[in-house]
Amino acid sequence: MALALKSWIRERISTVPTASEPLADFPELRALLTIWRHAWADAGGQVPDRRLMDPVDLPRPLLPCMFIYEREGERFRCRLAGSRLREVFGHAMEGRYLDDMVKPESAPRRNAIFNMVLEEGKPLIYSGFLVAEGKEWRYSRRLLLPMRKQAGGPVDQIMGAVHFCDPPPGLRQNPHDPDGQIILMILEPQPADRSV
């Protein structure tokens, strides 16, 4: 990842202590993070592989807003996208590359965020305004979870979900910011509390 992109990310990122709850107002994203943390614990404190998090086994309310991207060289190809995402983007996303679905000036930073999730092996939350080419700006919060396509393989996939919502009061999209990012938060993987 280029030094300038790493600097851009580091300027915007915060690490969230494990005791805080940045998804308190987003129950479906919180549920997905809890499931990932259980899979992380089941994988011995390592990034889990997909068989531990099959979308078919996840809560049904999550499915319309879920996605899976796979790294292919320097790009990320969408392998799965829920019906709500197809509705918002206005087309099927499966088979398309991330950098083809966002504004061209946003693609390097978005790819850098996705690469960081895989390199760090930690969940990441980001909030901001959707930058789909040709679409109006939509505020959202996204959860990105690192995954392995196969047990013992490289960390090469991102499973996640998007929650579309109204922005916090007074927050507006900056027309001079081509990426629309407001908040980036790395979450520490932690053993899941089995009582949850």
Side-chain angles (χ1 to χ4, degrees):
M1 192 178 346
L3 185 58
L5 289 175
K6 283 186 178 184
S7 295
W8 178 86
I9 290 172
R10 294 290 173 210
E11 288 171 5
R12 287 163 176 75
I13 205 152
S14 63
T15 301
V16 177
T18 56
S20 68
E21 184 48 73
L23 295 174
D25 296 331
F26 304 91
E28 59 284 328
L29 298 181
R30 190 174 63 243
L32 182 59
L33 178 61
T34 299
I35 292 166
W36 183 88
R37 284 179 167 160
H38 284 209
W40 181 84
D42 291 345
Q46 300 292 317
V47 172
D49 62 84
R50 278 257 313 274
R51 73 180 164 77
L52 295 175
M53 290 202 47
D54 188 336
V56 173
D57 298 329
L58 298 175
R60 286 183 126 357
L62 280 171
L63 299 180
C65 295
M66 283 192 64
F67 54 84
I68 296 174
Y69 282 88
E70 184 172 340
R71 183 163 49 191
E72 292 182 353
E74 298 298 315
R75 301 177 82 190
F76 288 87
R77 184 185 297 268
C78 183
R79 295 294 180 198
L80 174 85
S83 58
R84 179 74 175 120
L85 300 179
R86 286 191 296 276
E87 177 186 305
V88 169
F89 276 87
H91 54 75
M93 295 168 57
E94 293 90 342
R96 296 188 66 192
Y97 287 102
L98 175 66
D99 55 10
D100 290 336
M101 292 187 280
V102 298
K103 293 185 178 207
E105 59 271 24
S106 300
R109 287 187 292 267
R110 198 57 53 90
N111 278 341
I113 291 168
F114 277 52
N115 273 310
M116 187 180 68
V117 170
L118 298 183
E119 290 166 10
E120 298 275 331
K122 296 178 180 179
L124 181 131
I125 300 167
Y126 68 92
S127 298
F129 292 86
L130 180 70
V131 292
E133 188 67 48
K135 297 292 180 182
E136 70 179 60
W137 294 90
R138 299 280 309 268
Y139 188 75
S140 66
R141 180 159 287 195
R142 289 181 179 223
L143 173 63
L144 304 179
L145 303 167
M147 302 290 297
R148 298 174 197 276
K149 186 176 179 179
Q150 298 175 359
V155 180
D156 57 358
Q157 290 190 334
I158 292 176
M159 177 182 283
V162 181
H163 178 87
F164 296 101
C165 53
D166 291 330
L171 183 64
R172 301 227 187 306
Q173 194 275 325
N174 177 351
H176 303 293
D177 176 8
D179 204 53
Q181 297 301 305
I182 306 298
I183 300 167
L184 293 167
M185 294 179 277
I186 292 178
L187 304 175
E188 292 298 324
Q190 61 188 15
D193 177 358
R194 296 296 181 165
S195 66
V196 175

Short mmCIF file of all heavy atoms in Angstrom, two decimals, residues 123-179:
data_model
loop_
_atom_site.label_atom_id
_atom_site.label_comp_id
_atom_site.label_asym_id
_atom_site.label_seq_id
_atom_site.Cartn_x
_atom_site.Cartn_y
_atom_site.Cartn_z
N PRO A 123 -11.35 -6.47 12.37
CA PRO A 123 -12.56 -5.82 11.85
C PRO A 123 -12.37 -4.30 11.78
O PRO A 123 -11.59 -3.72 12.54
CB PRO A 123 -13.64 -6.16 12.88
CG PRO A 123 -13.11 -7.32 13.64
CD PRO A 123 -11.61 -7.18 13.62
N LEU A 124 -13.11 -3.68 10.89
CA LEU A 124 -13.06 -2.24 10.73
C LEU A 124 -14.48 -1.74 10.47
O LEU A 124 -15.24 -2.38 9.75
CB LEU A 124 -12.16 -1.85 9.57
CG LEU A 124 -12.03 -0.35 9.34
CD1 LEU A 124 -10.56 0.04 9.20
CD2 LEU A 124 -12.78 0.08 8.10
N ILE A 125 -14.80 -0.63 11.10
CA ILE A 125 -16.07 0.05 10.86
C ILE A 125 -15.75 1.36 10.19
O ILE A 125 -14.81 2.05 10.60
CB ILE A 125 -16.81 0.36 12.18
CG1 ILE A 125 -17.10 -0.92 12.94
CG2 ILE A 125 -18.09 1.14 11.91
CD1 ILE A 125 -17.53 -0.65 14.37
N TYR A 126 -16.51 1.69 9.16
CA TYR A 126 -16.36 3.05 8.66
C TYR A 126 -17.72 3.62 8.34
O TYR A 126 -18.65 2.92 8.00
CB TYR A 126 -15.38 3.17 7.50
CG TYR A 126 -15.72 2.56 6.17
CD1 TYR A 126 -16.38 3.29 5.19
CD2 TYR A 126 -15.32 1.27 5.87
CE1 TYR A 126 -16.62 2.74 3.96
CE2 TYR A 126 -15.57 0.71 4.64
CZ TYR A 126 -16.23 1.46 3.68
OH TYR A 126 -16.48 0.91 2.45
N SER A 127 -17.81 4.91 8.58
CA SER A 127 -19.04 5.65 8.33
C SER A 127 -18.74 6.76 7.34
O SER A 127 -17.64 7.29 7.32
CB SER A 127 -19.58 6.28 9.62
OG SER A 127 -19.89 5.29 10.55
N GLY A 128 -19.71 7.08 6.56
CA GLY A 128 -19.54 8.16 5.61
C GLY A 128 -20.64 8.13 4.58
O GLY A 128 -21.68 7.50 4.78
N PHE A 129 -20.38 8.81 3.50
CA PHE A 129 -21.38 8.94 2.45
C PHE A 129 -21.01 8.02 1.29
O PHE A 129 -19.87 8.00 0.85
CB PHE A 129 -21.47 10.40 2.01
CG PHE A 129 -22.04 11.29 3.07
CD1 PHE A 129 -21.21 11.85 4.04
CD2 PHE A 129 -23.39 11.53 3.13
CE1 PHE A 129 -21.74 12.66 5.03
CE2 PHE A 129 -23.93 12.33 4.13
CZ PHE A 129 -23.09 12.90 5.07
N LEU A 130 -21.98 7.26 0.84
CA LEU A 130 -21.80 6.32 -0.26
C LEU A 130 -21.36 7.08 -1.50
O LEU A 130 -21.93 8.12 -1.84
CB LEU A 130 -23.12 5.59 -0.53
CG LEU A 130 -23.12 4.57 -1.64
CD1 LEU A 130 -22.31 3.36 -1.24
CD2 LEU A 130 -24.54 4.16 -1.97
N VAL A 131 -20.38 6.54 -2.20
CA VAL A 131 -19.82 7.22 -3.35
C VAL A 131 -20.01 6.40 -4.64
O VAL A 131 -19.14 6.38 -5.48
CB VAL A 131 -18.33 7.57 -3.14
CG1 VAL A 131 -18.18 8.62 -2.08
CG2 VAL A 131 -17.52 6.34 -2.82
N ALA A 132 -21.14 5.73 -4.77
CA ALA A 132 -21.40 4.96 -5.98
C ALA A 132 -21.48 5.90 -7.18
O ALA A 132 -22.15 6.94 -7.12
CB ALA A 132 -22.69 4.17 -5.85
N GLU A 133 -20.79 5.55 -8.24
CA GLU A 133 -20.76 6.38 -9.44
C GLU A 133 -22.19 6.60 -9.96
O GLU A 133 -22.96 5.66 -10.11
CB GLU A 133 -19.90 5.71 -10.52
CG GLU A 133 -19.66 6.58 -11.73
CD GLU A 133 -18.81 7.80 -11.42
OE1 GLU A 133 -17.76 7.67 -10.77
OE2 GLU A 133 -19.20 8.89 -11.83
N GLY A 134 -22.55 7.86 -10.16
CA GLY A 134 -23.85 8.20 -10.73
C GLY A 134 -25.01 8.16 -9.76
O GLY A 134 -26.16 8.31 -10.16
N LYS A 135 -24.75 7.97 -8.48
CA LYS A 135 -25.82 7.90 -7.48
C LYS A 135 -25.73 9.08 -6.53
O LYS A 135 -24.68 9.69 -6.36
CB LYS A 135 -25.73 6.60 -6.67
CG LYS A 135 -25.92 5.35 -7.50
CD LYS A 135 -27.33 5.26 -7.99
CE LYS A 135 -27.55 4.02 -8.83
NZ LYS A 135 -28.89 3.96 -9.34
N GLU A 136 -26.85 9.39 -5.87
CA GLU A 136 -26.83 10.45 -4.87
C GLU A 136 -26.11 9.95 -3.62
O GLU A 136 -26.03 8.75 -3.37
CB GLU A 136 -28.24 10.91 -4.52
CG GLU A 136 -29.05 9.88 -3.75
CD GLU A 136 -30.45 10.37 -3.41
OE1 GLU A 136 -31.20 10.68 -4.32
OE2 GLU A 136 -30.74 10.41 -2.20
N TRP A 137 -25.56 10.85 -2.85
CA TRP A 137 -24.83 10.50 -1.64
C TRP A 137 -25.80 9.93 -0.61
O TRP A 137 -26.87 10.48 -0.37
CB TRP A 137 -24.15 11.74 -1.07
CG TRP A 137 -23.07 12.25 -1.96
CD1 TRP A 137 -23.20 13.17 -2.97
CD2 TRP A 137 -21.71 11.87 -1.96
NE1 TRP A 137 -22.00 13.39 -3.58
CE2 TRP A 137 -21.05 12.60 -2.99
CE3 TRP A 137 -20.95 10.99 -1.20
CZ2 TRP A 137 -19.70 12.47 -3.25
CZ3 TRP A 137 -19.60 10.87 -1.46
CH2 TRP A 137 -18.99 11.60 -2.48
N ARG A 138 -25.43 8.80 -0.01
CA ARG A 138 -26.22 8.15 1.04
C ARG A 138 -25.31 7.89 2.23
O ARG A 138 -24.25 7.32 2.07
CB ARG A 138 -26.76 6.79 0.56
CG ARG A 138 -27.66 6.80 -0.63
CD ARG A 138 -29.09 7.18 -0.31
NE ARG A 138 -29.67 6.43 0.77
CZ ARG A 138 -30.37 5.31 0.63
NH1 ARG A 138 -30.57 4.79 -0.54
NH2 ARG A 138 -30.89 4.72 1.69
N TYR A 139 -25.74 8.31 3.41
CA TYR A 139 -24.95 8.06 4.60
C TYR A 139 -25.10 6.59 5.00
O TYR A 139 -26.20 6.02 4.92
CB TYR A 139 -25.40 8.97 5.75
CG TYR A 139 -24.49 8.88 6.95
CD1 TYR A 139 -23.25 9.49 6.95
CD2 TYR A 139 -24.87 8.15 8.07
CE1 TYR A 139 -22.40 9.40 8.04
CE2 TYR A 139 -24.03 8.06 9.17
CZ TYR A 139 -22.80 8.68 9.14
OH TYR A 139 -21.96 8.58 10.22
N SER A 140 -24.00 5.99 5.43
CA SER A 140 -24.05 4.58 5.84
C SER A 140 -22.94 4.30 6.84
O SER A 140 -21.99 5.06 6.97
CB SER A 140 -23.89 3.66 4.63
OG SER A 140 -22.60 3.80 4.06
N ARG A 141 -23.11 3.19 7.52
CA ARG A 141 -22.06 2.64 8.37
C ARG A 141 -21.81 1.24 7.85
O ARG A 141 -22.75 0.48 7.62
CB ARG A 141 -22.49 2.60 9.83
CG ARG A 141 -21.39 2.02 10.71
CD ARG A 141 -21.52 2.40 12.15
NE ARG A 141 -21.17 3.81 12.30
CZ ARG A 141 -20.92 4.37 13.46
NH1 ARG A 141 -20.96 3.67 14.56
NH2 ARG A 141 -20.62 5.65 13.53
N ARG A 142 -20.53 0.89 7.65
CA ARG A 142 -20.14 -0.42 7.13
C ARG A 142 -19.25 -1.13 8.12
O ARG A 142 -18.43 -0.51 8.79
CB ARG A 142 -19.36 -0.27 5.82
CG ARG A 142 -20.20 0.17 4.68
CD ARG A 142 -19.35 0.25 3.43
NE ARG A 142 -20.19 0.64 2.32
CZ ARG A 142 -20.15 0.10 1.13
NH1 ARG A 142 -19.29 -0.85 0.87
NH2 ARG A 142 -20.96 0.51 0.20
N LEU A 143 -19.42 -2.42 8.16
CA LEU A 143 -18.57 -3.29 8.95
C LEU A 143 -17.83 -4.20 7.98
O LEU A 143 -18.44 -4.86 7.14
CB LEU A 143 -19.42 -4.13 9.92
CG LEU A 143 -18.69 -5.22 10.71
CD1 LEU A 143 -17.65 -4.60 11.65
CD2 LEU A 143 -19.71 -6.05 11.49
N LEU A 144 -16.50 -4.21 8.07
CA LEU A 144 -15.66 -5.07 7.23
C LEU A 144 -14.97 -6.09 8.13
O LEU A 144 -14.34 -5.73 9.12
CB LEU A 144 -14.58 -4.25 6.51
CG LEU A 144 -15.05 -3.08 5.65
CD1 LEU A 144 -13.85 -2.37 5.02
CD2 LEU A 144 -16.03 -3.52 4.59
N LEU A 145 -15.09 -7.37 7.76
CA LEU A 145 -14.53 -8.46 8.55
C LEU A 145 -13.56 -9.28 7.71
O LEU A 145 -13.94 -9.77 6.64
CB LEU A 145 -15.65 -9.38 9.05
CG LEU A 145 -16.74 -8.70 9.88
CD1 LEU A 145 -17.93 -9.62 10.04
CD2 LEU A 145 -16.18 -8.28 11.22
N PRO A 146 -12.31 -9.44 8.16
CA PRO A 146 -11.37 -10.25 7.39
C PRO A 146 -11.74 -11.73 7.46
O PRO A 146 -12.20 -12.21 8.50
CB PRO A 146 -10.03 -9.99 8.09
CG PRO A 146 -10.40 -9.63 9.49
CD PRO A 146 -11.73 -8.93 9.40
N MET A 147 -11.54 -12.43 6.35
CA MET A 147 -11.88 -13.86 6.26
C MET A 147 -10.84 -14.58 5.41
O MET A 147 -10.12 -13.96 4.64
CB MET A 147 -13.25 -14.04 5.58
CG MET A 147 -14.42 -13.35 6.25
SD MET A 147 -14.87 -14.09 7.81
CE MET A 147 -15.36 -15.71 7.31
N ARG A 148 -10.83 -15.88 5.56
CA ARG A 148 -10.04 -16.75 4.69
C ARG A 148 -11.02 -17.53 3.82
O ARG A 148 -12.02 -18.05 4.32
CB ARG A 148 -9.23 -17.76 5.50
CG ARG A 148 -8.22 -17.16 6.42
CD ARG A 148 -7.58 -18.27 7.28
NE ARG A 148 -6.91 -17.70 8.42
CZ ARG A 148 -5.68 -17.22 8.41
NH1 ARG A 148 -4.98 -17.25 7.30
NH2 ARG A 148 -5.15 -16.71 9.48
N LYS A 149 -10.72 -17.63 2.55
CA LYS A 149 -11.57 -18.42 1.66
C LYS A 149 -11.51 -19.89 2.05
O LYS A 149 -12.51 -20.59 2.02
CB LYS A 149 -11.13 -18.23 0.21
CG LYS A 149 -12.00 -18.88 -0.81
CD LYS A 149 -11.53 -18.54 -2.20
CE LYS A 149 -12.39 -19.21 -3.26
NZ LYS A 149 -11.92 -18.84 -4.61
N GLN A 150 -10.30 -20.34 2.43
CA GLN A 150 -10.10 -21.74 2.81
C GLN A 150 -9.34 -21.81 4.12
O GLN A 150 -8.47 -20.97 4.39
CB GLN A 150 -9.31 -22.47 1.73
CG GLN A 150 -10.01 -22.50 0.40
CD GLN A 150 -9.15 -23.12 -0.69
OE1 GLN A 150 -8.02 -23.51 -0.45
NE2 GLN A 150 -9.69 -23.18 -1.89
N ALA A 151 -9.62 -22.84 4.89
CA ALA A 151 -8.90 -23.06 6.15
C ALA A 151 -7.40 -23.14 5.88
O ALA A 151 -6.98 -23.82 4.95
CB ALA A 151 -9.40 -24.33 6.83
N GLY A 152 -6.63 -22.42 6.66
CA GLY A 152 -5.18 -22.42 6.52
C GLY A 152 -4.66 -21.58 5.37
O GLY A 152 -3.46 -21.44 5.20
N GLY A 153 -5.56 -21.02 4.58
CA GLY A 153 -5.15 -20.20 3.44
C GLY A 153 -4.88 -18.77 3.85
O GLY A 153 -4.96 -18.40 5.03
N PRO A 154 -4.56 -17.94 2.86
CA PRO A 154 -4.30 -16.54 3.15
C PRO A 154 -5.59 -15.81 3.55
O PRO A 154 -6.70 -16.25 3.22
CB PRO A 154 -3.75 -16.00 1.83
CG PRO A 154 -4.34 -16.90 0.79
CD PRO A 154 -4.45 -18.25 1.42
N VAL A 155 -5.44 -14.70 4.25
CA VAL A 155 -6.57 -13.83 4.56
C VAL A 155 -6.85 -13.06 3.28
O VAL A 155 -6.11 -12.15 2.93
CB VAL A 155 -6.24 -12.90 5.75
CG1 VAL A 155 -7.43 -12.00 6.07
CG2 VAL A 155 -5.83 -13.70 6.96
N ASP A 156 -7.90 -13.47 2.56
CA ASP A 156 -8.12 -12.96 1.20
C ASP A 156 -9.54 -12.51 0.90
O ASP A 156 -9.84 -12.12 -0.22
CB ASP A 156 -7.69 -14.02 0.17
CG ASP A 156 -8.41 -15.36 0.35
OD1 ASP A 156 -9.21 -15.50 1.30
OD2 ASP A 156 -8.15 -16.26 -0.46
N GLN A 157 -10.42 -12.57 1.89
CA GLN A 157 -11.80 -12.12 1.67
C GLN A 157 -12.25 -11.18 2.76
O GLN A 157 -11.73 -11.22 3.88
CB GLN A 157 -12.76 -13.32 1.62
CG GLN A 157 -12.60 -14.18 0.40
CD GLN A 157 -13.71 -15.20 0.27
OE1 GLN A 157 -14.32 -15.61 1.25
NE2 GLN A 157 -13.99 -15.61 -0.96
N ILE A 158 -13.21 -10.35 2.39
CA ILE A 158 -13.86 -9.46 3.35
C ILE A 158 -15.35 -9.74 3.30
O ILE A 158 -15.97 -9.66 2.24
CB ILE A 158 -13.59 -7.98 3.03
CG1 ILE A 158 -12.11 -7.68 3.25
CG2 ILE A 158 -14.48 -7.08 3.87
CD1 ILE A 158 -11.70 -6.28 2.89
N MET A 159 -15.88 -10.12 4.46
CA MET A 159 -17.32 -10.27 4.61
C MET A 159 -17.78 -9.04 5.38
O MET A 159 -17.08 -8.56 6.27
CB MET A 159 -17.67 -11.53 5.39
CG MET A 159 -19.16 -11.70 5.63
SD MET A 159 -19.54 -13.19 6.62
CE MET A 159 -19.34 -14.46 5.37
N GLY A 160 -18.93 -8.52 5.04
CA GLY A 160 -19.40 -7.36 5.77
C GLY A 160 -20.85 -7.06 5.49
O GLY A 160 -21.54 -7.82 4.81
N ALA A 161 -21.28 -5.95 6.03
CA ALA A 161 -22.65 -5.49 5.86
C ALA A 161 -22.67 -3.97 5.94
O ALA A 161 -21.77 -3.35 6.50
CB ALA A 161 -23.56 -6.10 6.92
N VAL A 162 -23.73 -3.42 5.36
CA VAL A 162 -23.92 -1.97 5.33
C VAL A 162 -25.26 -1.64 6.00
O VAL A 162 -26.25 -2.34 5.79
CB VAL A 162 -23.97 -1.44 3.88
CG1 VAL A 162 -24.16 0.07 3.86
CG2 VAL A 162 -22.75 -1.84 3.11
N HIS A 163 -25.25 -0.60 6.80
CA HIS A 163 -26.49 -0.08 7.37
C HIS A 163 -26.67 1.35 6.84
O HIS A 163 -25.83 2.21 7.11
CB HIS A 163 -26.43 -0.06 8.90
CG HIS A 163 -27.64 0.50 9.54
ND1 HIS A 163 -28.76 -0.27 9.82
CD2 HIS A 163 -27.95 1.76 9.91
CE1 HIS A 163 -29.68 0.50 10.36
NE2 HIS A 163 -29.22 1.74 10.42
N PHE A 164 -27.72 1.57 6.08
CA PHE A 164 -28.02 2.91 5.57
C PHE A 164 -28.89 3.62 6.59
O PHE A 164 -29.83 3.05 7.12
CB PHE A 164 -28.74 2.83 4.22
CG PHE A 164 -27.89 2.22 3.15
CD1 PHE A 164 -28.06 0.90 2.78
CD2 PHE A 164 -26.90 2.96 2.52
CE1 PHE A 164 -27.27 0.33 1.80
CE2 PHE A 164 -26.10 2.41 1.55
CZ PHE A 164 -26.28 1.09 1.19
N CYS A 165 -28.53 4.88 6.88
CA CYS A 165 -29.24 5.62 7.91
C CYS A 165 -29.08 7.11 7.65
O CYS A 165 -28.35 7.52 6.75
CB CYS A 165 -28.69 5.27 9.29
SG CYS A 165 -26.90 5.44 9.44
N ASP A 166 -29.76 7.90 8.46
CA ASP A 166 -29.59 9.34 8.39
C ASP A 166 -28.26 9.70 9.06
O ASP A 166 -27.87 9.08 10.05
CB ASP A 166 -30.72 10.06 9.12
CG ASP A 166 -32.06 9.90 8.40
OD1 ASP A 166 -32.05 9.77 7.16
OD2 ASP A 166 -33.10 9.88 9.09
N PRO A 167 -27.57 10.71 8.53
CA PRO A 167 -26.33 11.12 9.20
C PRO A 167 -26.62 11.76 10.55
O PRO A 167 -27.73 12.22 10.80
CB PRO A 167 -25.73 12.14 8.22
CG PRO A 167 -26.87 12.61 7.40
CD PRO A 167 -27.87 11.51 7.36
N PRO A 168 -25.63 11.78 11.43
CA PRO A 168 -25.81 12.48 12.71
C PRO A 168 -26.23 13.92 12.46
O PRO A 168 -25.85 14.52 11.44
CB PRO A 168 -24.43 12.40 13.36
CG PRO A 168 -23.77 11.23 12.72
CD PRO A 168 -24.31 11.19 11.31
N PRO A 169 -26.99 14.53 13.37
CA PRO A 169 -27.44 15.92 13.18
C PRO A 169 -26.28 16.86 12.89
O PRO A 169 -25.24 16.81 13.54
CB PRO A 169 -28.10 16.27 14.52
CG PRO A 169 -28.47 14.95 15.12
CD PRO A 169 -27.44 13.96 14.64
N GLY A 170 -26.45 17.68 11.88
CA GLY A 170 -25.46 18.68 11.51
C GLY A 170 -24.35 18.17 10.61
O GLY A 170 -23.57 18.96 10.10
N LEU A 171 -24.26 16.86 10.39
CA LEU A 171 -23.21 16.32 9.54
C LEU A 171 -23.65 16.36 8.09
O LEU A 171 -24.72 15.89 7.73
CB LEU A 171 -22.89 14.88 9.94
CG LEU A 171 -21.76 14.21 9.17
CD1 LEU A 171 -20.43 14.94 9.42
CD2 LEU A 171 -21.64 12.76 9.58
N ARG A 172 -22.83 16.93 7.25
CA ARG A 172 -23.12 17.01 5.83
C ARG A 172 -21.93 16.48 5.05
O ARG A 172 -20.79 16.57 5.48
CB ARG A 172 -23.37 18.46 5.42
CG ARG A 172 -24.50 19.11 6.15
CD ARG A 172 -25.40 19.84 5.16
NE ARG A 172 -26.45 20.65 5.72
CZ ARG A 172 -27.37 20.29 6.56
NH1 ARG A 172 -27.36 19.11 7.06
NH2 ARG A 172 -28.31 21.10 6.97
N GLN A 173 -22.21 15.97 3.88
CA GLN A 173 -21.15 15.49 3.01
C GLN A 173 -20.37 16.68 2.49
O GLN A 173 -20.94 17.66 2.07
CB GLN A 173 -21.75 14.68 1.86
CG GLN A 173 -20.76 13.86 1.09
CD GLN A 173 -20.06 14.65 0.00
OE1 GLN A 173 -20.64 15.52 -0.62
NE2 GLN A 173 -18.80 14.33 -0.23
N ASN A 174 -19.06 16.61 2.54
CA ASN A 174 -18.19 17.66 2.04
C ASN A 174 -18.04 17.47 0.53
O ASN A 174 -17.47 16.48 0.09
CB ASN A 174 -16.82 17.57 2.73
CG ASN A 174 -15.83 18.60 2.22
OD1 ASN A 174 -16.08 19.30 1.24
ND2 ASN A 174 -14.71 18.68 2.90
N PRO A 175 -18.53 18.40 -0.29
CA PRO A 175 -18.45 18.23 -1.74
C PRO A 175 -17.02 18.21 -2.28
O PRO A 175 -16.78 17.79 -3.39
CB PRO A 175 -19.23 19.43 -2.30
CG PRO A 175 -19.25 20.42 -1.20
CD PRO A 175 -19.16 19.66 0.09
N HIS A 176 -16.05 18.64 -1.47
CA HIS A 176 -14.65 18.64 -1.90
C HIS A 176 -13.91 17.37 -1.49
O HIS A 176 -12.75 17.20 -1.81
CB HIS A 176 -13.93 19.87 -1.33
CG HIS A 176 -14.59 21.14 -1.73
ND1 HIS A 176 -14.64 21.60 -3.03
CD2 HIS A 176 -15.29 22.03 -0.99
CE1 HIS A 176 -15.32 22.72 -3.07
NE2 HIS A 176 -15.72 23.01 -1.85
N ASP A 177 -14.59 16.49 -0.75
CA ASP A 177 -14.01 15.21 -0.35
C ASP A 177 -14.56 14.13 -1.27
O ASP A 177 -15.71 13.73 -1.13
CB ASP A 177 -14.37 14.90 1.11
CG ASP A 177 -13.87 13.54 1.57
OD1 ASP A 177 -13.11 12.89 0.83
OD2 ASP A 177 -14.24 13.13 2.68
N PRO A 178 -13.78 13.66 -2.22
CA PRO A 178 -14.30 12.69 -3.18
C PRO A 178 -14.61 11.34 -2.58
O PRO A 178 -15.32 10.54 -3.17
CB PRO A 178 -13.16 12.57 -4.21
CG PRO A 178 -11.93 12.90 -3.45
CD PRO A 178 -12.36 13.94 -2.44
N ASP A 179 -14.12 11.05 -1.37
CA ASP A 179 -14.32 9.73 -0.80
C ASP A 179 -15.50 9.65 0.15
O ASP A 179 -16.03 8.59 0.38
CB ASP A 179 -13.04 9.28 -0.10
CG ASP A 179 -12.96 7.78 -0.01
OD1 ASP A 179 -13.09 7.13 -1.06
OD2 ASP A 179 -12.80 7.27 1.10
#
